[in-house]
Amino acid sequence: MKQFGLSAFERIKNKKEFELVYSRGEVLFSSSNRLKAVFFIDRNPDTIGIKTAFAVSKKSGNAVWRNRIKRLFRESYRLNKNEIKSDCENKKIKLFLVFSPNTINRTNSKKIYLKDVVDDVVELLIKIRSIL
């Protein structure tokens, strides 16, 4: 598997896993209050690792803008996932993680770039690592 890839095994895809994260997970906000991360830690997993998803509500903007946000979240996570992935493997846990915008929407920021979200994603990953 590629070091910086984001394979299908690393993504939350089915409804059961989304319900698990949203019903039993914890919520963290970035310090700028722009991003939100909902995560659930499975201490007795059958497989070890991280599964992520990137959710943007329809209220945030049109489809083009929502897809761009998801691409930016995915890229910033993909570039910074190594430390949290190794922590999960060392502690033998499975982490379910959903990133979504909190105060970022199309009316506030018409143009958004990778540099605008990468700091918040890294900050949330550091907060989650401290909880693991």
Side-chain angles (χ1 to χ4, degrees), residues 73-132:
F73 285 172
R74 230 181 348 258
E75 181 68 10
S76 57
Y77 168 76
R78 185 185 69 81
L79 293 173
N80 297 295
K81 70 177 181 175
N82 289 333
E83 293 86 13
I84 195 162
K85 186 176 180 182
S86 63
D87 283 353
C88 289
E89 290 170 356
N90 291 341
K91 296 179 180 178
K92 298 192 179 353
I93 58 175
K94 185 162 193 164
L95 177 67
F96 296 94
L97 179 60
V98 178
F99 287 102
S100 59
N102 189 36
T103 60
I104 301 174
N105 58 32
R106 189 164 180 248
T107 57
N108 292 347
S109 26
K110 298 272 187 214
K111 293 269 189 174
I112 192 158
Y113 300 100
L114 184 63
K115 63 180 172 54
D116 298 331
V117 297
V118 73
D119 293 333
D120 291 328
V121 170
V122 169
E123 178 192 342
L124 287 172
L125 289 174
I126 289 170
K127 285 182 179 180
I128 293 169
R129 280 183 68 201
S130 67
I131 294 172
L132 294 179

Side-chain angles (χ1 to χ4, degrees), residues 9-61:
F9 299 111
E10 294 178 283
R11 297 188 184 180
I12 298 175
K13 290 192 169 195
N14 60 16
K15 185 177 179 181
K16 186 174 127 185
E17 290 175 343
F18 273 107
E19 287 176 353
L20 177 70
V21 173
Y22 283 121
S23 65
R24 297 178 50 197
E26 298 176 40
V27 180
L28 284 179
F29 295 96
S30 63
S31 62
S32 64
N33 210 18
R34 294 169 52 113
L35 259 67
K36 175 174 76 168
V38 183
F39 67 97
F40 174 71
I41 302 168
D42 188 2
R43 302 279 180 196
N44 301 317
D46 46 342
T47 59
I48 297 170
I50 303 176
K51 289 192 115 184
T52 58
F54 308 91
V56 182
S57 79
K58 286 188 175 182
K59 294 177 183 177
S60 296

